[in-house]
Amino acid sequence: MTNKRQLTLPVLEIFGPTFQGEGRAIGQKTMFVRTAGCDYHCDWCDSAFTWDGSEKPTRMTSDQVIEQLDKLGNYDYVTLSGGNPCLLAANMAELVQKLKDRGVTLAVETQGSRWQDWLTDIDQVTLSPKPPSSKMVVNFETLDFIVGRLDPERVTFKIPVFDDDDLAFAKTIQDRYNPDVLYLSAGNPEPNKEGDIVLNQLNRLKELWERIANDDSWGNVRVLPQLHTLLYDNERGV
């Protein structure tokens, strides 16, 4: 009789406790599990190490991931991030189920390009379809399918904005899906820059804030900073 093959996850980072830096859960205390691999290669990606081959992931079982989380401290909220964690099927489903069994609230961040059945067990699904500045093309048929399968009360739409084309794209998302709130953030155009980026980010946020405030065509929208960039610049693991 052969032993059942253990499922493993390609893990690049497990860190926390820290706080969610953007979107509906901004300010939420959380642990992060960042997996490797992404089907998008966004031009301004702040986590290119998840897909560009510059870092090699560690293969970990779900129990090993939980053991590492336990070592970091007490937690009741975990964010699954990447890359795109929705590239992972049964191996991620196992981790999700074990964390849910422990009463953990789960969030996931994805661009909405892949469906996985375990998404229905996630408490807060942040869909961040990428705007034109990313140089990626959104498959709206796939995104429609994903949105249609999820409880609207568990879905957040979040768009990073870099230019006018991105704003037009965000308006398209609002018109197409009519979310209760559309979250916009001032994108970080220099994700690899070392040192202080706060002033530049604040200026970009002010410009976006004023653009949206003076445009009556927007529905219910919240313009938020990428809070982590204001506190830690481009530092990782925070």
Side-chain angles (χ1 to χ4, degrees):
M1 181 177 178
T2 58
N3 292 328
K4 182 180 179 181
R5 180 175 64 88
Q6 275 194 313
L7 297 172
T8 61
L9 292 158
V11 178
L12 281 167
E13 295 182 306
I14 300 175
F15 61 93
T18 185
F19 293 86
Q20 175 58 259
E22 54 190 322
R24 190 186 298 268
I26 193 169
Q28 169 69 52
K29 188 177 181 181
T30 185
M31 299 290 195
F32 274 88
V33 177
R34 186 185 299 280
T35 57
C38 193
D39 47 328
Y40 278 17
H41 297 167
C42 295
D43 201 49
W44 34 251
C45 180
D46 62 1
S47 305
F49 61 91
T50 62
W51 52 261
D52 66 6
S54 62
E55 296 190 24
K56 185 177 180 180
T58 300
R59 302 297 309 194
M60 301 178 69
T61 66
S62 56
D63 288 338
Q64 288 171 330
V65 171
I66 292 171
E67 181 181 1
Q68 185 62 38
L69 287 169
D70 290 345
K71 287 179 180 179
L72 293 173
N74 295 327
Y75 59 94
D76 56 16
Y77 196 106
V78 172
T79 301
L80 307 173
S81 187
N84 184 7
C86 288
L87 295 180
L88 305 169
N91 42 359
M92 183 61 81
E94 183 177 80
L95 176 64
V96 167
Q97 186 59 57
K98 289 183 176 182
L99 287 171
K100 294 302 294 181
D101 288 346
R102 290 168 58 123
V104 174
T105 298
L106 289 176
V108 68
E109 299 177 334
T110 177
Q111 63 263 42
S113 60
R114 298 289 184 92
W115 169 260
Q116 297 293 350
D117 288 342
W118 54 260
L119 282 170
T120 58
D121 294 320
I122 301 296
D123 300 283
Q124 186 59 61
V125 179
T126 295
L127 297 175
S128 185
K130 304 310 180 188
S133 63
S134 69
K135 297 184 181 177
M136 298 291 106
V137 178
V138 174
N139 184 327
F140 279 101
E141 183 177 347
T142 299
L143 187 57
D144 289 347
F145 176 83
I146 291 170
V147 172
R149 295 286 299 272
L150 293 173
D151 180 350
E153 294 186 359
R154 296 189 178 195
V155 174
T156 294
F157 281 93
K158 176 175 65 69
I159 312 294
V161 175
F162 291 82
D163 55 33
D164 289 347
D165 289 340
D166 290 356
L167 268 180
F169 173 84
K171 184 69 69 66
T172 296
I173 293 296
Q174 185 174 69
D175 292 344
R176 189 181 187 100
Y177 299 109
N178 194 29
D180 62 336
V181 183
L182 177 65
Y183 291 81
L184 303 181
S185 64
N188 175 11
E190 299 178 297
N192 298 313
K193 181 180 178 180
E194 296 183 0
D196 189 350
I197 65 170
V198 173
L199 182 59
N200 186 47
Q201 285 298 95
L202 286 174
N203 286 335
R204 290 176 57 77
L205 178 62
K206 180 182 178 183
E207 179 182 355
L208 180 59
W209 218 349
E210 292 174 348
R211 288 282 301 276
I212 299 298
N214 292 314
D215 185 347
D216 292 338
S217 68
W218 287 95
N220 193 7
V221 62
R222 295 183 191 174
V223 180
L224 298 174
Q226 293 181 330
L227 191 57
H228 49 288
T229 67
L230 302 183
L231 298 176
Y232 298 105
D233 301 303
N234 285 321
E235 185 177 344
R236 278 176 53 181
V238 291

